[in-house]
Amino acid sequence: MSDEIEIKNKIKANSSLFTNFVKNAVTASPNVQNNFLEVSAQVALTVKKIIEDANLIMDLDYKGKDFWLENRCKTSCFIDGGVDKTSIISSAPLSIRTGSYIVKPDAEDKNREFFEESMVFLGDLYDPKNELYDLADDDFEEDQMLNKKKDGARIIFEAVTVVKHILLNRKFDYCFLHGPIEATVMPFTVMGFPTFTKFAVENMLPFYNKNRLNAEARHFVNVYLEALNHIKKSKFPIYGIVETSVSAPYIKNLLYSYKTKGVISDKDFKNTLATIKKYKITDSHLLEIILKSGQALKPIEIKKQIKGFSVTSGSAWEDKMDSFPSVNMGYIKTTDHSSPIRIESLMSSKSIKKDYEYILATARLLPNYGFPVGLNVVDKFAKIPNWMSKASRRYYATHLLKQAVKSKDQNTISLAVKILSKKVRSWRNRPLGGMAR
């Protein structure tokens, strides 16, 4: 059977590719729909030849129970974060926590596995002394900025949790972060994105810029860069693990390296990239049909923050992008029925095959599961549940009303009531729409 026929058969059996195809079928032209199978096969063939030529595929050794007998003395830490907006009158206060799930298989029962609330923060994370907190007319833009601030809060606290473990000289054999080890900073370089408060930065990174915590030093870009540079100094391996890739950074960088070597022409490079973009083909899609279960792709060095490309054009932070470290990115296909998971690290490991085999073993602990179980466990631990969010909001509302009533000023009381109901639609004040009570 030829490679092309084999790849086409894999595509036909590939649920995620056809799910993506069905989504695109609503808006795509008939030609795009008819060519989907052919195009995917051609791109996969091109990428497969390059991967094989570069000798990037590793066959991982999975031993099941025997693996854990050999590695039972290793201590692993799994990290994830949760964030919730607790504010009513502004989006400055946030409740954030990051959890660590630490496991050592050969330890006594009570020490074998335990949870830590590694970082907890409740208060003004972002500085309210910013033009962002002026009256906004566009609710959509306000909501978009709030989502960015929540993402920024989660990302920064996950990073500083890793830093905290490093500063405390924790004796880990592995540390795994749920998500990329280095996030793209582009969303946080837009005009008006607020800085962190001095109190927040002092709590996150006690050693950071103590003498000059000016606004620029407290911006997400600078604080995050400081955290990443500290993570690079770790004595234990740290990996960020992404469950599903929604882009194609590995494939694009691999193609670019072969273009610079002169192996593929500039025209073919541009045409292939255009095809990947047009059909929304991701790393996960292609590698799912190229790799077999238990195979991995060796990491390649990738620059995530690209000046003038991934940063908002005209941003004051464009020149800062060259300072961010490169990421070593690879993939593991854990099972036949799951998409390859992306593995990221800021350090180049000398025992990458053993490290990847450990990740593979943690992903196969449960039947029909293809992601490290420890990350799923800590994800549930770190999330701030709805009951806690609602309770904090009720407490805040009660406190605000008490303060207003205490003032004995009718206008203040009226303002407090309006603030508390600002984003809640009150159907009681609207017409019944023809339905009588």
Side-chain angles (χ1 to χ4, degrees), residues 83-101:
V83 60
D84 179 64
K85 178 197 169 194
T86 59
S87 170
I88 307 262
I89 58 175
S90 81
S91 55
L94 293 167
S95 57
I96 311 159
R97 70 174 175 183
T98 48
S100 297
Y101 173 51

Tab-separated table of all heavy atoms in Angstrom, residues 83-101:
chain	number	residue	atom	x	y	z
A	83	VAL	N	-9.479	30.914	38.150
A	83	VAL	CA	-9.690	32.339	38.408
A	83	VAL	C	-11.171	32.652	38.295
A	83	VAL	O	-11.891	32.044	37.507
A	83	VAL	CB	-8.870	33.204	37.422
A	83	VAL	CG1	-9.269	32.921	35.983
A	83	VAL	CG2	-9.015	34.694	37.712
A	84	ASP	N	-11.598	33.616	39.116
A	84	ASP	CA	-12.993	34.027	39.066
A	84	ASP	C	-13.079	35.513	39.358
A	84	ASP	O	-12.374	36.029	40.223
A	84	ASP	CB	-13.830	33.264	40.098
A	84	ASP	CG	-15.282	33.692	40.086
A	84	ASP	OD1	-15.926	33.467	39.048
A	84	ASP	OD2	-15.754	34.247	41.084
A	85	LYS	N	-13.943	36.192	38.631
A	85	LYS	CA	-14.170	37.608	38.889
A	85	LYS	C	-15.136	37.742	40.066
A	85	LYS	O	-16.264	37.294	39.997
A	85	LYS	CB	-14.771	38.290	37.654
A	85	LYS	CG	-15.088	39.764	37.881
A	85	LYS	CD	-16.034	40.286	36.833
A	85	LYS	CE	-16.530	41.668	37.236
A	85	LYS	NZ	-17.679	42.098	36.460
A	86	THR	N	-14.676	38.339	41.168
A	86	THR	CA	-15.532	38.495	42.330
A	86	THR	C	-16.073	39.904	42.440
A	86	THR	O	-16.904	40.190	43.280
A	86	THR	CB	-14.760	38.179	43.619
A	86	THR	OG1	-13.638	39.073	43.709
A	86	THR	CG2	-14.279	36.758	43.628
A	87	SER	N	-15.576	40.803	41.580
A	87	SER	CA	-15.982	42.190	41.701
A	87	SER	C	-17.377	42.422	41.153
A	87	SER	O	-17.816	41.772	40.222
A	87	SER	CB	-15.002	43.088	40.955
A	87	SER	OG	-15.506	44.396	40.863
A	88	ILE	N	-18.046	43.411	41.727
A	88	ILE	CA	-19.357	43.810	41.227
A	88	ILE	C	-19.255	45.142	40.497
A	88	ILE	O	-19.809	45.326	39.439
A	88	ILE	CB	-20.354	43.946	42.399
A	88	ILE	CG1	-20.355	42.671	43.216
A	88	ILE	CG2	-21.738	44.301	41.874
A	88	ILE	CD1	-21.423	41.704	42.954
A	89	ILE	N	-18.517	46.086	41.100
A	89	ILE	CA	-18.493	47.440	40.539
A	89	ILE	C	-17.321	47.672	39.606
A	89	ILE	O	-17.242	48.689	38.955
A	89	ILE	CB	-18.484	48.507	41.658
A	89	ILE	CG1	-17.269	48.305	42.577
A	89	ILE	CG2	-19.766	48.459	42.454
A	89	ILE	CD1	-17.121	49.395	43.624
A	90	SER	N	-16.369	46.778	39.572
A	90	SER	CA	-15.272	46.895	38.615
A	90	SER	C	-14.712	45.514	38.401
A	90	SER	O	-15.110	44.565	39.050
A	90	SER	CB	-14.173	47.838	39.130
A	90	SER	OG	-13.327	47.164	40.032
A	91	SER	N	-13.769	45.409	37.464
A	91	SER	CA	-13.186	44.093	37.208
A	91	SER	C	-11.774	44.025	37.752
A	91	SER	O	-11.003	43.162	37.378
A	91	SER	CB	-13.175	43.818	35.706
A	91	SER	OG	-12.521	44.853	35.014
A	92	ALA	N	-11.415	44.947	38.649
A	92	ALA	CA	-10.073	44.933	39.224
A	92	ALA	C	-9.887	43.791	40.218
A	92	ALA	O	-8.921	43.057	40.143
A	92	ALA	CB	-9.759	46.278	39.875
A	93	PRO	N	-10.807	43.598	41.193
A	93	PRO	CA	-10.607	42.501	42.136
A	93	PRO	C	-10.874	41.148	41.484
A	93	PRO	O	-11.869	40.973	40.795
A	93	PRO	CB	-11.625	42.792	43.242
A	93	PRO	CG	-12.056	44.198	43.039
A	93	PRO	CD	-11.951	44.437	41.573
A	94	LEU	N	-10.010	40.190	41.751
A	94	LEU	CA	-10.176	38.841	41.238
A	94	LEU	C	-9.836	37.853	42.349
A	94	LEU	O	-9.009	38.137	43.213
A	94	LEU	CB	-9.248	38.582	40.041
A	94	LEU	CG	-9.508	39.363	38.760
A	94	LEU	CD1	-8.312	39.214	37.826
A	94	LEU	CD2	-10.758	38.875	38.068
A	95	SER	N	-10.477	36.697	42.299
A	95	SER	CA	-10.060	35.613	43.188
A	95	SER	C	-9.346	34.578	42.322
A	95	SER	O	-9.867	34.143	41.302
A	95	SER	CB	-11.270	34.996	43.895
A	95	SER	OG	-12.214	34.534	42.954
A	96	ILE	N	-8.145	34.224	42.734
A	96	ILE	CA	-7.294	33.339	41.945
A	96	ILE	C	-6.668	32.315	42.880
A	96	ILE	O	-6.305	32.641	44.018
A	96	ILE	CB	-6.145	34.115	41.258
A	96	ILE	CG1	-6.683	35.354	40.547
A	96	ILE	CG2	-5.381	33.233	40.287
A	96	ILE	CD1	-5.620	36.395	40.299
A	97	ARG	N	-6.542	31.105	42.384
A	97	ARG	CA	-5.738	30.137	43.117
A	97	ARG	C	-5.108	29.161	42.138
A	97	ARG	O	-5.683	28.856	41.091
A	97	ARG	CB	-6.571	29.389	44.160
A	97	ARG	CG	-7.605	28.413	43.601
A	97	ARG	CD	-8.244	27.631	44.728
A	97	ARG	NE	-9.328	26.775	44.263
A	97	ARG	CZ	-10.084	26.040	45.059
A	97	ARG	NH1	-9.883	26.076	46.360
A	97	ARG	NH2	-11.045	25.275	44.572
A	98	THR	N	-3.928	28.721	42.474
A	98	THR	CA	-3.274	27.671	41.701
A	98	THR	C	-3.030	26.489	42.623
A	98	THR	O	-2.621	26.664	43.778
A	98	THR	CB	-1.936	28.143	41.099
A	98	THR	OG1	-1.161	28.795	42.107
A	98	THR	CG2	-2.168	29.098	39.956
A	99	GLY	N	-3.330	25.330	42.116
A	99	GLY	CA	-3.163	24.127	42.912
A	99	GLY	C	-2.020	23.273	42.410
A	99	GLY	O	-1.694	23.275	41.215
A	100	SER	N	-1.418	22.564	43.324
A	100	SER	CA	-0.367	21.603	42.990
A	100	SER	C	-0.797	20.232	43.504
A	100	SER	O	-1.181	20.097	44.673
A	100	SER	CB	0.968	21.992	43.618
A	100	SER	OG	1.425	23.225	43.126
A	101	TYR	N	-0.750	19.263	42.637
A	101	TYR	CA	-1.057	17.879	42.999
A	101	TYR	C	0.267	17.121	42.938
A	101	TYR	O	0.853	16.973	41.867
A	101	TYR	CB	-2.072	17.308	42.018
A	101	TYR	CG	-2.366	15.828	42.166
A	101	TYR	CD1	-2.705	15.276	43.397
A	101	TYR	CD2	-2.330	14.982	41.054
A	101	TYR	CE1	-2.988	13.922	43.524
A	101	TYR	CE2	-2.617	13.628	41.164
A	101	TYR	CZ	-2.945	13.107	42.400
A	101	TYR	OH	-3.221	11.762	42.524
